[in-house]
Amino acid sequence: TYDRALLEATWPRLLRALERTVAQAPTDRVLRRALTGLHALSGAAAAYDIYSCVDATLHALATLTGLGSLNLHAQPQQVYVRRRGRYMVLSADDATASVAQAGAQALEEASVLVSQAALDFGSDYRAQVAFVALAELVTRFCYAVGASGWEDVLCVVSDAVDIDVLPVRAVLAGTWVPRAATLRAMVAAATQSPATQKQESSGLLSAFSSLWGSGGSGADSPRGSRPETPLWRAAPDQLAATVTRGHQAASVSAIMELADLPRRIQNDTVLAGFVAALARRLPQSPKSASDNYLPAPVVFLELAFALFSSCPLSAPSLWAALEQPMQRIFECAEELNPYVLERAVHALFAATTAVLKAAGGQDSSLTETLDRMTRCLGLLRD
């Protein structure tokens, strides 16, 4: 049609103009008008199946967030905990004692993870607005997002989870994945606690069960340890408030609907692009000891395998995208963080159970997929 041809010819210029306006808007009113224009442009492109326009819009917003390309292994992080009405740096010894006494989840609920990336995001109003707009567009027009669009969105979500401005529970309800610092404290608390070391366990994961409890009683860390020096000169309360602003922006966004998007995507090609983008962000063999753990790959692992429970009849196409990444995970099992391996085994076992119930021994395609999933689990014996 004429309208489609006109949009196809003009959308690159429209997008560049709107992107510059968002980046340089002198007032909040102008910024909101520009974002409304991006929403209208994406809606028109989705209506005419111009997926490249939707993807380019998502890429522009992802760039404005400042997230998606961070080297988080090279960025120092510190945990700030609120005590007696003020924030202070939580040392590793104190974190271990807190996990042993109150539990890992309680520690994270009472603390803030401070990093330069989190401070930059929390102090940049445009970045926060771009994040909210990105989440709104990808959830509103999920049926028109291409492969590159999903890649940009998941890159942003990955960094937001890793710097802890986006709570995992906002992405996956009822799921908790610890920060890297919390996981270290959990391991240290489990090592120091005789009660945890004697915890009964069974099955394939018994070797790891003493490490991954969410809390319990245990020995305190040594008293009198030297307090950790803050990495930033500003007052801890000011730093925590800045990071909290980033939390609030991410928490009010529509990104919490990410786990529900596959149910709303009717186009098999679009769904395949989403699953393929998830597969590329699953846990991988670390390049060095310092690259051993970040929470986002575990979140994407849980998100990918939750699809088997919600859409078990789609298991053949889902497993086609996830089989090779999962094989690589189990082939390098000795190099992975034990917690990551435990979550991978649990996710695949739960997915296998869901497919087994759906197959009923009668659907040949599901039965074949089930055999391949079982053989993947069998790699752990090699």
Side-chain angles (χ1 to χ4, degrees), residues 21-22 25-37 125-126:
T21 304
V22 172
T27 66
D28 191 60
R29 181 174 179 272
V30 174
L31 177 61
R32 291 176 183 273
R33 288 291 184 92
L35 291 172
T36 301
Y125 175 69
R126 294 179 197 275

Side-chain angles (χ1 to χ4, degrees), residues 246-271:
H247 289 185
Q248 293 169 344
S251 298
V252 300
S253 72
I255 204 66
M256 62 186 65
E257 300 177 26
L258 185 64
D260 295 327
L261 294 186
R263 300 188 186 94
R264 293 153 50 182
I265 298 174
Q266 303 299 323
N267 187 313
D268 291 340
T269 302
V270 174
L271 181 59

Side-chain angles (χ1 to χ4, degrees), residues 1 8 11 22 25 31 112-113 134-135 258 339 342 354-355:
T1 64
E8 201 162 22
W11 74 257
V22 172
L31 177 61
V112 174
L113 184 65
L134 176 73
L258 185 64
Y339 176 78
E342 186 268 344
V355 176

Side-chain angles (χ1 to χ4, degrees), residues 72-161:
L72 297 178
H73 290 294
Q75 285 200 11
Q77 297 179 338
Q78 285 188 323
V79 178
Y80 283 57
V81 64
R82 191 174 183 85
R83 289 179 176 171
R84 298 177 182 176
R86 303 196 65 175
Y87 278 96
M88 59 177 291
V89 180
L90 186 69
S91 68
D93 288 339
D94 288 340
T96 300
S98 297
V99 167
Q101 294 171 358
Q105 295 188 49
L107 170 63
E108 291 200 351
E109 291 171 359
S111 61
V112 174
L113 184 65
V114 177
S115 65
Q116 190 58 53
L119 291 171
D120 291 343
F121 183 75
S123 60
D124 190 340
Y125 175 69
R126 294 179 197 275
Q128 297 165 29
V129 170
F131 186 95
V132 173
L134 176 73
E136 170 64 23
L137 290 186
V138 75
T139 52
R140 177 66 179 83
F141 306 115
C142 59
Y143 56 87
V145 179
S148 64
W150 288 121
E151 188 68 26
D152 286 326
V153 170
L154 294 186
C155 283
V156 170
V157 172
S158 176
D159 281 353
V161 169

Side-chain angles (χ1 to χ4, degrees), residues 60-70 117 120-121 124 127-128 130 156 159:
L61 289 171
T63 302
L64 289 171
T65 66
L67 304 174
S69 58
L70 302 176
D120 291 343
F121 183 75
D124 190 340
Q128 297 165 29
V156 170
D159 281 353

Side-chain angles (χ1 to χ4, degrees), residues 25 47 80 110 182 220 225 248 267 286 291-292 318 323 381:
Y80 283 57
T182 304
D220 289 348
S225 59
Q248 293 169 344
N267 187 313
D291 293 343
N292 209 11
L318 294 174
E323 185 172 15
R381 299 178 300 177

